[in-house]
Amino acid sequence: MTRITILGAGVMGLCIASELAARGMPSRLIDPAGKPGAQACSWRAGGMLAPYCEAESAEPAVLRLGLDAADWWQAQGAEVTRRGTLVLAPSRDRAELDRFARLTQAHRAVNGDEIAALEPDLAGRFPRGLHFATEAHLDPRAALLTLRDRLRAQGVAIETEGTPTGLVVDARGLAARDQLADLRGVRGEMLVIRCPEVALTRTIRLLHPRIPLYLVPRGDGIYMIGATMLETGGKYRVTARSAVEMLSAAYALHPGFAEAEILELGADARPAFPDNLPRLRRRGGTLYANGLYRHGYLLAPAVARMAADYLLEGRKPEFMDEDHP
């Protein structure tokens, strides 16, 4: 059986290797870092498995392909928290909440008392919201390490160097711009805080016309906060403006976050094609799998299945480009 070589051990590469392994296909993983880590933008992701919320601004395919992402991750052994998403807006931005409701589905409107029942620490702070009960989240770093460990147990280790053999799957993310001229970087900035004084148990989205905030609990009083989507391909540090805006939004969600300890500030560039949808692109003996944009953990399982279907069964997948320049 011809072994497949996968370049890149970020979320895309690990998901493809896992899908191939589940079907009995051996593969090699090559990543200069030798492990999942900060070299990949998936290390700094939010880990939201929120297809219905993403439909507010994404193409319909994102919802359709992301519906079973939580099940896929759980089947791989990742710890998936299924407590839904709570979408809120300050009183002055109620129009944003109405707009979000019109553009999405699978939610129910909740009043102040129902918000307090879902998240007691938010009691009295918001009169209205939307609860997407079926959505989930995970810890991205723990999930990547889980995939790595499962693959290692199946005989698939991450090599730091080596000559690719057999069919090659290029899953290097933005580094593949040396081969994919239409790939661009969309910068995202995040911060991780510790605030045991505020206890939230599910993903919270705080709507704002200019800088929407999402907050994802990591447990033990630790939260990941993200917001920015900047059209620039470079890898920069978090700007002072973005840090202030994210912290201000967190304070608007709950004043207790004013006393939070900042554990990490990070920025990276997400790989995206012009339509912000992923691509599988065949060029000679290489299959390029890329363009997850802001939907890495939500769409990587579906793209991995498509790649496996194509490599093992010859089925042409959705979002397939043949011999694209």
Side-chain angles (χ1 to χ4, degrees):
M1 183 179 293
T2 301
R3 174 164 285 195
I4 293 172
T5 301
I6 300 170
L7 306 180
V11 67
M12 182 74 91
L14 288 171
C15 284
I16 293 174
S18 297
E19 190 66 27
L20 290 172
R23 304 186 193 194
M25 181 65 182
S27 65
R28 296 174 61 203
L29 266 168
I30 299 177
D31 191 302
K35 61 181 179 180
Q39 74 277 4
C41 66
S42 49
W43 193 250
R44 300 181 181 86
M48 296 178 294
L49 306 176
Y52 291 107
C53 282
E54 289 301 313
E56 177 260 341
S57 58
E59 293 294 324
V62 173
L63 169 59
R64 174 169 49 81
L65 296 175
L67 283 175
D68 62 353
D71 291 340
W72 189 92
W73 282 105
Q74 190 163 323
Q76 301 301 315
E79 183 177 346
V80 176
T81 301
R82 297 175 181 264
R83 293 185 59 80
T85 303
L86 185 58
V87 180
L88 304 170
S91 296
R92 66 180 181 276
D93 296 321
R94 290 183 183 180
E96 287 295 305
L97 192 65
D98 294 336
R99 183 190 63 83
F100 200 96
R102 289 194 304 270
L103 295 173
T104 56
Q105 55 184 297
H107 56 71
R108 70 179 180 93
V110 288
N111 60 29
D113 289 340
E114 291 169 309
I115 292 169
L118 290 168
E119 296 291 352
D121 277 17
L122 298 180
R125 300 202 50 78
F126 298 92
R128 297 170 53 211
L130 301 170
H131 185 216
F132 294 76
T134 62
E135 295 191 332
H137 70 269
L138 51 70
D139 181 333
R141 298 175 186 183
L144 292 181
L145 294 176
T146 294
L147 292 187
R148 179 203 62 181
D149 292 345
R150 284 172 61 92
L151 286 166
R152 181 184 292 165
Q154 295 170 304
V156 181
I158 301 174
E159 306 169 29
T160 58
E161 58 185 5
T163 302
T165 56
L167 294 170
V168 176
V169 177
D170 188 322
R172 294 178 295 138
L174 199 58
R177 280 193 300 183
D178 60 354
Q179 300 295 323
L180 304 174
D182 56 339
L183 195 67
R184 78 188 197 282
V186 180
R187 183 156 56 107
E189 296 159 305
M190 52 78 78
L191 61 91
V192 179
I193 60 174
R194 179 186 289 117
C195 188
E197 294 78 16
V198 180
L200 301 174
T201 63
R202 54 179 52 78
T203 299
I204 309 291
R205 292 187 183 229
L206 184 64
L207 303 181
H208 184 278
R210 191 166 60 85
I211 182 166
L213 163 89
Y214 60 78
L215 180 145
V216 188
R218 294 280 188 255
D220 298 323
I222 297 174
Y223 300 90
M224 185 273 190
I225 299 173
T228 60
M229 295 288 294
L230 304 174
E231 289 287 343
T232 176
K235 295 189 175 186
Y236 304 100
R237 294 195 174 108
V238 177
T239 64
R241 172 185 293 181
S242 295
V244 168
E245 289 179 334
M246 286 190 286
L247 289 169
S248 296
Y251 180 79
L253 180 64
H254 194 291
F257 285 122
E259 303 302 320
E261 174 189 1
I262 297 175
L263 301 180
E264 180 181 345
L265 284 165
D268 213 324
R270 308 172 179 98
F273 290 110
D275 61 0
N276 295 332
L277 290 173
R279 289 285 188 282
L280 289 170
R281 183 172 292 170
R282 179 70 181 264
R283 190 181 296 165
T286 300
L287 179 68
Y288 295 90
N290 216 315
L292 290 175
Y293 184 47
R294 58 177 286 170
H295 311 301
Y297 290 80
L298 185 64
L299 292 188
V303 177
R305 285 195 298 268
M306 292 180 196
D309 289 343
Y310 177 74
L311 292 168
L312 302 183
E313 302 173 24
R315 282 196 279 162
K316 184 175 179 179
E318 190 174 356
F319 307 124
M320 181 74 179
D321 289 346
E322 292 280 3
D323 297 321
H324 191 284

